[in-house]
């Protein structure tokens, strides 16, 4: 009876190791998607300004909490503050955030014109996307490495079970590395499209 409970305990540990690795790999892909949203591909997107922090009544506040951000057309971002007194602070935050936009306001809204990308800038952005994807693969491989270390720490587990679990972890790693490559391919195509 004791052996059976030890076996169940060990199987739970193995499943936990695999689940933990999968969770880290999922997080890496989510981070990649978030990073790709910030890399503009020539069209306006609310994601371009989502990380802008505005000094609002003495506190650093996300832009989305002080204004409505919309995309009236493919080359324009419109920011409509809920408090008209915040227009100056929002303009300053956009300039400080170094996004490459020159904000203009009409007293009601702030307009950001997204300039078309040059061929050189597209190549830089594609390079940046590739670097993000490579960093994601490193994170995925680190998750695999951690899982393998945790696996080796287990005691009383048969060689076959270890090998089987190692191959499951490797399959997971291959799946997520492939996913990273596919995300990159889509983003590169988006960046290079004129």
């Amino acid at each position: 009876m004791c052996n059976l409970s030890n076996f169940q305990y060990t199987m739970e540990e193995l499943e936990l190791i695999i689940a933990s690795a999968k969770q880290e790999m999922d997080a890496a892909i989510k981070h990649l998607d978030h990073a790709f949203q910030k890399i503009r591909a020539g069209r306006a997107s609310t994601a371009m300004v989502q990380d802008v922090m505005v000094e609002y009544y003495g506190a650093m506040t996300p832009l989305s909490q002080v204004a409505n951000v919309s995309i009236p057309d493919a080359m324009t971002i419109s920011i409509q503050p809920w408090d008209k007194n915040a227009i100056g602070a929002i303009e300053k935050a956009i300039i400080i955030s170094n996004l490459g936009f020159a904000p203009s306001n009409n007293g009601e809204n702030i307009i950001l014109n997204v300039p078309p990308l040059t061929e050189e800038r597209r190549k830089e952005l594609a390079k940046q996307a590739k670097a993000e994807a490579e960093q994601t693969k490193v994170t995925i491989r680190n998750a695999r490495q951690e899982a393998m270390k945790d696996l080796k720490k287990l005691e009383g587990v048969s060689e076959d079970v270890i090998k089987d679990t190692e191959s499951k972890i490797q399959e997971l790693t291959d799946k997520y590395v492939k996913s990273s490559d596919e995300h990159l391919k889509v983003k590169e195509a988006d960046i290079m499209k004129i």
Side-chain angles (χ1 to χ4, degrees), residues 36 113 186:
F36 280 176
N113 290 311
V186 169

Side-chain angles (χ1 to χ4, degrees), residues 76-134:
T76 310
I77 300 172
S78 174
I79 301 166
Q80 184 174 17
W82 292 311
D83 175 358
K84 301 284 183 254
N85 297 328
I87 282 189
I90 293 171
E91 272 189 299
K92 183 178 174 188
I94 291 167
I95 292 167
I96 289 172
S97 65
N98 203 18
L99 295 172
F101 297 124
S104 64
N105 86 64
N106 59 10
E108 299 278 319
N109 296 335
I110 295 172
I111 304 296
L112 303 177
N113 290 311
V114 179
L117 295 174
T118 63
E119 185 67 26
E120 186 179 322
R121 183 68 180 135
R122 287 177 192 279
K123 287 177 182 172
E124 284 174 29
L125 292 173
K127 227 185 260 187
Q128 186 181 343
K130 189 173 184 143
E132 288 289 350
E134 286 304 317

Side-chain angles (χ1 to χ4, degrees), residues 134-146:
E134 286 304 317
Q135 187 54 50
T136 298
K137 288 183 200 177
V138 168
T139 304
I140 291 167
R141 290 183 187 116
N142 286 344
R144 175 192 62 197
Q145 218 169 12
E146 280 303 308

